[in-house]
PDB file of all heavy atoms in Angstrom:
ATOM      1  N   LEU B 335      -8.333  24.624   6.905  1.00 92.00           N
ATOM      2  CA  LEU B 335      -6.944  24.595   6.426  1.00 92.00           C
ATOM      3  C   LEU B 335      -6.773  25.317   5.087  1.00 92.00           C
ATOM      4  O   LEU B 335      -5.670  25.635   4.689  1.00 92.00           O
ATOM      5  CB  LEU B 335      -6.462  23.148   6.293  1.00 92.00           C
ATOM      6  CG  LEU B 335      -6.243  22.385   7.598  1.00 92.00           C
ATOM      7  CD1 LEU B 335      -6.064  20.899   7.332  1.00 92.00           C
ATOM      8  CD2 LEU B 335      -5.034  22.934   8.351  1.00 92.00           C
ATOM      9  N   GLY B 336      -7.883  25.540   4.380  1.00 93.00           N
ATOM     10  CA  GLY B 336      -7.833  26.268   3.110  1.00 93.00           C
ATOM     11  C   GLY B 336      -7.523  25.372   1.929  1.00 93.00           C
ATOM     12  O   GLY B 336      -8.380  25.117   1.098  1.00 93.00           O
ATOM     13  N   GLN B 337      -6.296  24.919   1.840  1.00 94.00           N
ATOM     14  CA  GLN B 337      -5.904  24.066   0.710  1.00 94.00           C
ATOM     15  C   GLN B 337      -4.970  22.982   1.233  1.00 94.00           C
ATOM     16  O   GLN B 337      -3.997  23.280   1.914  1.00 94.00           O
ATOM     17  CB  GLN B 337      -5.192  24.910  -0.350  1.00 94.00           C
ATOM     18  CG  GLN B 337      -5.350  24.398  -1.770  1.00 94.00           C
ATOM     19  CD  GLN B 337      -4.588  23.114  -2.014  1.00 94.00           C
ATOM     20  OE1 GLN B 337      -3.437  22.991  -1.632  1.00 94.00           O
ATOM     21  NE2 GLN B 337      -5.251  22.142  -2.618  1.00 94.00           N
ATOM     22  N   THR B 338      -5.300  21.730   0.927  1.00 94.00           N
ATOM     23  CA  THR B 338      -4.479  20.623   1.407  1.00 94.00           C
ATOM     24  C   THR B 338      -4.119  19.718   0.236  1.00 94.00           C
ATOM     25  O   THR B 338      -4.991  19.264  -0.494  1.00 94.00           O
ATOM     26  CB  THR B 338      -5.232  19.808   2.485  1.00 94.00           C
ATOM     27  OG1 THR B 338      -5.727  20.715   3.477  1.00 94.00           O
ATOM     28  CG2 THR B 338      -4.324  18.799   3.140  1.00 94.00           C
ATOM     29  N   LYS B 339      -2.826  19.518   0.106  1.00 95.00           N
ATOM     30  CA  LYS B 339      -2.318  18.636  -0.945  1.00 95.00           C
ATOM     31  C   LYS B 339      -2.014  17.296  -0.282  1.00 95.00           C
ATOM     32  O   LYS B 339      -1.248  17.255   0.691  1.00 95.00           O
ATOM     33  CB  LYS B 339      -1.014  19.242  -1.451  1.00 95.00           C
ATOM     34  CG  LYS B 339      -0.755  19.122  -2.908  1.00 95.00           C
ATOM     35  CD  LYS B 339       0.488  19.932  -3.265  1.00 95.00           C
ATOM     36  CE  LYS B 339       1.104  19.345  -4.519  1.00 95.00           C
ATOM     37  NZ  LYS B 339       2.309  20.071  -4.920  1.00 95.00           N
ATOM     38  N   THR B 340      -2.594  16.213  -0.760  1.00 96.00           N
ATOM     39  CA  THR B 340      -2.372  14.926  -0.100  1.00 96.00           C
ATOM     40  C   THR B 340      -1.890  13.867  -1.090  1.00 96.00           C
ATOM     41  O   THR B 340      -2.139  13.972  -2.292  1.00 96.00           O
ATOM     42  CB  THR B 340      -3.649  14.402   0.585  1.00 96.00           C
ATOM     43  OG1 THR B 340      -4.615  14.132  -0.423  1.00 96.00           O
ATOM     44  CG2 THR B 340      -4.201  15.390   1.591  1.00 96.00           C
ATOM     45  N   PHE B 341      -1.227  12.867  -0.562  1.00 95.00           N
ATOM     46  CA  PHE B 341      -0.657  11.804  -1.395  1.00 95.00           C
ATOM     47  C   PHE B 341      -1.035  10.439  -0.840  1.00 95.00           C
ATOM     48  O   PHE B 341      -1.226  10.280   0.359  1.00 95.00           O
ATOM     49  CB  PHE B 341       0.869  11.922  -1.417  1.00 95.00           C
ATOM     50  CG  PHE B 341       1.342  13.162  -2.099  1.00 95.00           C
ATOM     51  CD1 PHE B 341       1.445  14.349  -1.403  1.00 95.00           C
ATOM     52  CD2 PHE B 341       1.658  13.145  -3.447  1.00 95.00           C
ATOM     53  CE1 PHE B 341       1.864  15.511  -2.039  1.00 95.00           C
ATOM     54  CE2 PHE B 341       2.083  14.300  -4.082  1.00 95.00           C
ATOM     55  CZ  PHE B 341       2.185  15.483  -3.376  1.00 95.00           C
ATOM     56  N   PHE B 342      -1.133   9.502  -1.740  1.00 93.00           N
ATOM     57  CA  PHE B 342      -1.263   8.108  -1.324  1.00 93.00           C
ATOM     58  C   PHE B 342      -0.748   7.209  -2.435  1.00 93.00           C
ATOM     59  O   PHE B 342      -0.562   7.646  -3.573  1.00 93.00           O
ATOM     60  CB  PHE B 342      -2.710   7.751  -0.941  1.00 93.00           C
ATOM     61  CG  PHE B 342      -3.730   7.914  -2.035  1.00 93.00           C
ATOM     62  CD1 PHE B 342      -3.922   6.929  -2.986  1.00 93.00           C
ATOM     63  CD2 PHE B 342      -4.529   9.055  -2.092  1.00 93.00           C
ATOM     64  CE1 PHE B 342      -4.871   7.070  -3.987  1.00 93.00           C
ATOM     65  CE2 PHE B 342      -5.482   9.203  -3.093  1.00 93.00           C
ATOM     66  CZ  PHE B 342      -5.656   8.213  -4.035  1.00 93.00           C
ATOM     67  N   THR B 343      -0.486   5.967  -2.076  1.00 92.00           N
ATOM     68  CA  THR B 343       0.001   4.986  -3.044  1.00 92.00           C
ATOM     69  C   THR B 343      -1.059   3.909  -3.190  1.00 92.00           C
ATOM     70  O   THR B 343      -1.770   3.617  -2.236  1.00 92.00           O
ATOM     71  CB  THR B 343       1.325   4.368  -2.544  1.00 92.00           C
ATOM     72  OG1 THR B 343       2.210   5.423  -2.227  1.00 92.00           O
ATOM     73  CG2 THR B 343       1.964   3.484  -3.573  1.00 92.00           C
ATOM     74  N   THR B 344      -1.184   3.345  -4.377  1.00 91.00           N
ATOM     75  CA  THR B 344      -2.171   2.282  -4.596  1.00 91.00           C
ATOM     76  C   THR B 344      -1.501   1.060  -5.194  1.00 91.00           C
ATOM     77  O   THR B 344      -0.380   1.137  -5.688  1.00 91.00           O
ATOM     78  CB  THR B 344      -3.288   2.719  -5.568  1.00 91.00           C
ATOM     79  OG1 THR B 344      -2.732   2.783  -6.884  1.00 91.00           O
ATOM     80  CG2 THR B 344      -3.897   4.039  -5.176  1.00 91.00           C
ATOM     81  N   ASN B 345      -2.229  -0.037  -5.182  1.00 88.00           N
ATOM     82  CA  ASN B 345      -1.818  -1.215  -5.942  1.00 88.00           C
ATOM     83  C   ASN B 345      -2.271  -1.025  -7.378  1.00 88.00           C
ATOM     84  O   ASN B 345      -2.989  -0.084  -7.701  1.00 88.00           O
ATOM     85  CB  ASN B 345      -2.442  -2.471  -5.340  1.00 88.00           C
ATOM     86  CG  ASN B 345      -1.761  -2.868  -4.037  1.00 88.00           C
ATOM     87  OD1 ASN B 345      -0.554  -2.751  -3.907  1.00 88.00           O
ATOM     88  ND2 ASN B 345      -2.546  -3.312  -3.070  1.00 88.00           N
TER      89      ASN B 345
END
Side-chain angles (χ1 to χ4, degrees):
Chain B
L335 290 168
Q337 209 290 314
T338 309
K339 217 173 155 180
T340 65
F341 294 85
F342 60 83
T343 308
T344 72
N345 286 322

